[in-house]
Amino acid sequence: MKYKDIFLDFDDTLYDTRGNAAISLHEIFVKYRLDRYFNDEHLFAESYWNANVILWSMYAKGEVERDFLMVERFRRPLSEGENTDGTPFTPDKELCLSINNDFLELNACKEGLVEGARELVSYLKDKGYRLHICSNGFCEVQYRKLRACGLYDFFDNIILSEQAGANKPNKAFFDYALKVAKAERTTTIMVGDNFYTDITGAAESGLHTIFFNAHPEAFTAPQLANHEVNRLTEIINIL
């Protein structure tokens, strides 16, 4: 198959979202003196990640709106904290939004990439592929992160779910992406790390796929993707 267009997920496929966010969470913990409510910073971080995974999954399915996600991803972990008298800490909406906004600002300037990301996009660009980011991330953050990590100029289009009016894995997102990219379904392939949003969604939309499974010890994927890799640089041998 001769491909012309490559759709690439951004968060945790190219951009080290979890690693960069972990740094930002520590900065938030210090700035807001959350040690008043948590004896262990790691407990706060673990609670955040548990809530974040659930909420982003709900967001991808269209079960919650972005405004709900932005409040809840901090309200839920903060609610597991305690006041100095041992009573549960009850964060208000204003505090959760303030922390969320600061968190997004801190995240937007982080530079960390997944190992092999720059090598891969450089290779694909040099080979003449047209490259397009396809992400469920928020507009005000994704552009800044792309510039901060130095990948912005590699891409022909930045296609985000807010603009599409639908999230991955919805077929409407991929239809919109093909229209924006002026790409043909038969000569386009999707690369992503999330089996549900990236691979299942793209496959059900008639696209070929490459599943980037960075943790094969933790997740065994059904045989749906056309290719599976554990390192980004393995894609060089496919495309």
Side-chain angles (χ1 to χ4, degrees), residues 121-138:
V121 295
S122 296
Y123 165 82
L124 294 174
K125 199 69 175 177
D126 289 344
K127 290 285 286 186
Y129 291 108
R130 297 197 310 147
L131 308 182
H132 316 276
I133 287 291
C134 287
S135 170
N136 280 350
F138 302 134

Side-chain angles (χ1 to χ4, degrees), residues 198-212:
D198 298 324
I199 306 307
T200 301
E204 290 180 350
S205 297
L207 301 177
H208 283 190
T209 59
I210 298 176
F211 177 42
F212 171 44

Side-chain angles (χ1 to χ4, degrees), residues 106-118:
L106 290 166
N107 263 349
C109 62
K110 298 294 186 288
E111 303 176 0
L113 291 170
V114 173
E115 182 180 357
R118 192 177 305 279

Side-chain angles (χ1 to χ4, degrees), residues 14-53:
L14 301 176
Y15 186 76
D16 185 11
T17 305
R18 189 175 181 97
N20 291 327
I23 298 170
S24 298
L25 279 176
H26 171 70
E27 294 168 340
I28 287 293
F29 193 88
V30 172
K31 177 177 179 177
Y32 284 88
R33 296 178 56 211
L34 297 183
D35 58 342
R36 293 175 293 170
Y37 312 111
F38 293 88
N39 292 326
D40 187 342
E41 181 178 344
H42 295 293
L43 293 178
F44 166 71
E46 182 178 357
S47 296
Y48 167 82
W49 287 116
N50 290 339
N52 200 54
V53 168

